[in-house]
Amino acid sequence: MVSKTILVFMILASLFHQANAQDLNANPAAGNYGKPVVGKPLPDFTLDDITHYKKRTASTGDFKGKWLFMDFWFTGCAACIKSFPKVNEFQKEFKGDAVFLMVGENDKQYNNGIDKLYERLREKQGLTMPSAYDSIIVKRWEITAMPYILIVDPEGIIRYITDGRDMTREKVRDLIDGKEVSFVVHQHARPERPQFDPNNSGTDSSALIYQSILSKWGGEDQRTPQKISYWMRYIKKDGLKISMAPLEWIYNYAFTGVCMWDLPNDSLYGKVYPYPVIEVTDKRPFEFDYNHDVGKGTYNYGLKIPSSKATAEYVMTRMQQDLETAFGFKASLETREVPVWNLVVADSRIVQKLKTKGVEFWDSTDSSGGAAGFSGGNCTVDQFLEQVMNYIGTGQPPYFNETGIPYNIDLKMDCDMTNREAVRKELQRNGLDLVKGTRKMQVVVIRDPQPGDGHTAAQ
């Protein structure tokens, strides 16, 4: 899920002509121009710039008679773009019963060139979905987190608002056949979740001296604090609160002071492996779901301590002790060989040709963010690798520059940057490659207790 507050990710939608936009805004009382609500008719809209569809212009009533999937996206949303091949298969299979309409926001500030991006991806991925472009209805409908998918029945009634993470062929078929179906509710369409309150003892929180609690997630709003050193002033005042977190994240926090890290600008990147090694017989406590039954298998943790003892070291030690008491597992930071991706030189003769000519530039081939390729001039290999990671790196083993190239390079990537194999082929064309490897790194290791294991008390 992508939020407008995160810098890397922005918005999406579809394009109105200016005159039409003025007409719609001038007299909102003339039609239903409210926000989408499940169980209500789809608000009135007009799209003036639709491509790869039987009509160039369409409005609300034009889609009645078939199921309509309005899939909003924007240029910086890797999750949106990675879903295109799946949606394309749906469009092919269910074209007689449904329309899968991609709606991309083409606001000039953040998503300029989104139409060019879609055309390049359409060519590279063989896409058949119609696409529209807009900068009006996204604002009117207050869509600020993508992917955002409206599922509208043939009568024009909104049945679901989802992010599409659990949308499968089987579910779409059942939906069309009139069967009961469930989809993950988009974060902006679900009721507001309560906040996790670890003070459930009935005691006035201001009178509490010490309390720790570890519980299964009960539907509370997610809270995963950033690096513990940044949060100490809040912990001293209100205590530590973590909610809707997989158990491995809580172990990470207890031993490193951070729940998760997967980008080069994270301080632990390349130093500590982001995924704990779990060597326990019963792994069920570590099973969680963020795709279908969202939140299943996650936990809440709260810690209230005297402010005089509120140091990062003390908090982490108490967490380690609480986890061991609750689950019985032994855990520690160890140095292990862990899997990584390495950028390497595959053909030194080709690589020599990449040496920069001295002109510094950075440009995406589609003028909109690089998902369909980009060109870099006079850039370091590290800068180039970070750009590659923007679309295929997060959620994966760490990436390392093992090329040994001492000079800046000029390099063009003309491929679908969300597809690892397509990226590798393009790298190989440039004399480079991404290969699997291993590297020694610190990692949280969680194991079953052994005879003679002791228990470390907090200092």
Side-chain angles (χ1 to χ4, degrees):
M1 183 66 55
V2 184
S3 173
K4 197 172 184 179
T5 59
I6 301 176
L7 183 60
V8 181
F9 299 128
M10 282 57 93
I11 328 174
L12 35 120
S14 101
L15 173 63
F16 288 13
H17 278 194
Q18 184 63 34
N20 185 61
Q22 292 174 346
D23 289 344
L24 289 177
N25 290 321
N27 186 18
N32 168 26
Y33 297 117
K35 294 188 295 184
V37 177
V38 172
K40 300 291 185 180
L42 180 66
D44 293 337
F45 67 86
T46 298
L47 298 170
D48 264 0
D49 190 11
I50 307 178
T51 60
H52 314 296
Y53 188 60
K54 61 184 179 181
K55 299 176 66 176
R56 184 74 175 184
T57 300
S59 56
T60 315
D62 291 309
F63 297 99
K64 287 187 177 180
K66 287 186 177 183
W67 284 90
L68 172 63
F69 294 72
M70 292 186 74
D71 193 336
F72 291 83
W73 68 287
F74 66 100
T75 59
C77 179
C80 303
I81 294 168
K82 287 180 179 180
S83 73
F84 285 1
K86 180 178 76 170
V87 178
N88 192 50
E89 292 304 310
F90 296 159
Q91 177 63 51
K92 289 179 180 179
E93 181 168 355
F94 303 111
K95 63 181 180 180
D97 301 297
V99 175
F100 292 82
L101 177 66
M102 309 310 299
V103 187
E105 184 180 29
N106 66 339
D107 65 289
K108 303 303 181 185
Q109 183 176 4
Y110 297 119
N111 296 284
N112 188 33
I114 190 171
D115 52 342
K116 296 178 182 178
L117 171 60
Y118 184 77
E119 288 305 310
R120 291 188 65 82
L121 290 171
R122 180 174 178 271
E123 175 186 347
K124 296 177 187 299
Q125 298 180 357
L127 305 179
T128 61
M129 305 93 73
S131 182
Y133 305 96
D134 162 77
S135 59
I136 301 296
I137 58 176
V138 168
K139 295 177 182 177
R140 179 181 294 130
W141 291 355
E142 298 180 8
I143 302 173
T144 58
M146 326 300 172
Y148 180 96
I149 303 171
L150 292 170
I151 303 178
V152 186
D153 71 17
E155 300 301 316
I157 305 300
I158 299 171
R159 295 304 177 191
Y160 304 91
I161 303 177
T162 180
D163 60 28
R165 70 179 74 181
D166 62 338
M167 191 177 296
T168 63
R169 173 192 175 279
E170 291 74 20
K171 284 190 175 185
V172 175
R173 170 49 63 195
D174 286 347
L175 182 68
I176 291 172
D177 290 344
K179 298 179 182 179
E180 289 293 324
V181 178
S182 65
F183 292 106
V184 170
V185 179
H186 192 278
Q187 67 181 58
H188 288 174
R190 62 181 175 233
E192 185 176 353
R193 287 174 173 164
Q195 298 295 314
F196 169 55
D197 181 10
N199 177 33
N200 60 354
S201 62
T203 304
D204 180 2
S205 60
S206 63
L208 272 174
I209 297 175
Y210 175 86
Q211 175 180 269
S212 64
I213 181 171
L214 178 64
S215 65
K216 293 183 177 180
W217 179 65
E220 298 87 357
D221 195 32
Q222 187 176 45
R223 181 186 178 97
T224 51
Q226 299 299 314
K227 192 173 182 179
I228 193 170
S229 58
Y230 302 157
W231 283 80
M232 284 312 304
R233 59 178 176 174
Y234 303 108
I235 293 172
K236 286 181 179 180
K237 179 182 178 183
D238 299 320
L240 176 66
K241 300 174 185 178
I242 299 175
S243 55
M244 198 182 175
L247 188 56
E248 61 184 58
W249 291 10
I250 299 178
Y251 269 95
N252 269 348
Y253 207 83
F255 284 88
T256 71
V258 186
C259 282
M260 181 53 62
W261 54 96
D262 56 12
L263 293 172
N265 58 359
D266 293 322
S267 62
L268 296 182
Y269 189 87
K271 301 174 184 176
V272 183
Y273 200 63
Y275 311 107
V277 173
I278 302 171
E279 298 176 339
V280 302
T281 303
D282 184 4
K283 295 185 178 180
R284 287 178 296 178
F286 297 93
E287 296 173 354
F288 64 96
D289 188 351
Y290 273 135
N291 291 322
H292 295 85
D293 189 1
V294 178
K296 180 180 179 181
T298 60
Y299 296 83
N300 299 338
Y301 177 81
L303 178 65
K304 175 75 173 181
I305 55 178
S307 60
S308 61
K309 291 189 174 182
T311 65
E313 182 181 4
Y314 184 86
V315 170
M316 291 164 62
T317 304
R318 295 306 314 187
M319 290 184 69
Q320 295 168 23
Q321 196 172 50
D322 286 338
L323 288 167
E324 183 175 338
T325 300
F327 296 102
F329 303 132
K330 287 290 183 179
S332 60
L333 265 177
E334 300 180 11
T335 300
R336 292 281 188 97
E337 288 278 347
V338 292
V340 298
W341 284 100
N342 290 321
L343 181 68
V344 300
V345 172
D347 189 326
S348 58
R349 294 171 300 176
I350 299 176
V351 167
Q352 284 292 328
K353 299 177 183 178
L354 302 180
K355 191 170 183 178
T356 185
K357 296 178 176 60
V359 179
E360 186 172 335
F361 67 91
W362 199 264
D363 190 21
S364 59
T365 57
D366 47 68
S367 303
S368 58
F374 63 90
S375 298
N378 200 12
C379 62
T380 67
V381 177
D382 286 340
Q383 289 172 330
F384 166 74
L385 180 58
E386 187 169 348
Q387 182 71 5
V388 171
M389 287 178 57
N390 283 341
Y391 287 94
I392 65 170
T394 57
Q396 303 289 335
Y399 287 67
F400 292 94
N401 171 17
E402 294 289 348
T403 63
I405 297 174
Y407 46 80
N408 285 7
I409 60 173
D410 299 338
L411 189 145
K412 180 178 180 180
M413 295 288 289
D414 186 8
C415 66
D416 176 1
M417 296 299 298
T418 68
N419 184 309
R420 189 189 309 280
E421 287 310 306
V423 170
R424 287 194 63 199
K425 288 180 180 178
E426 190 68 3
L427 286 171
Q428 291 163 4
R429 188 182 67 81
N430 286 284
L432 302 170
D433 201 359
L434 274 177
V435 298
K436 292 181 179 179
T438 61
R439 176 179 286 228
K440 285 187 178 181
M441 205 178 299
Q442 282 201 305
V443 60
V444 177
V445 179
I446 307 166
R447 59 169 64 89
D448 289 322
Q450 302 296 317
D453 282 341
H455 189 91
T456 303
Q459 300 299 314

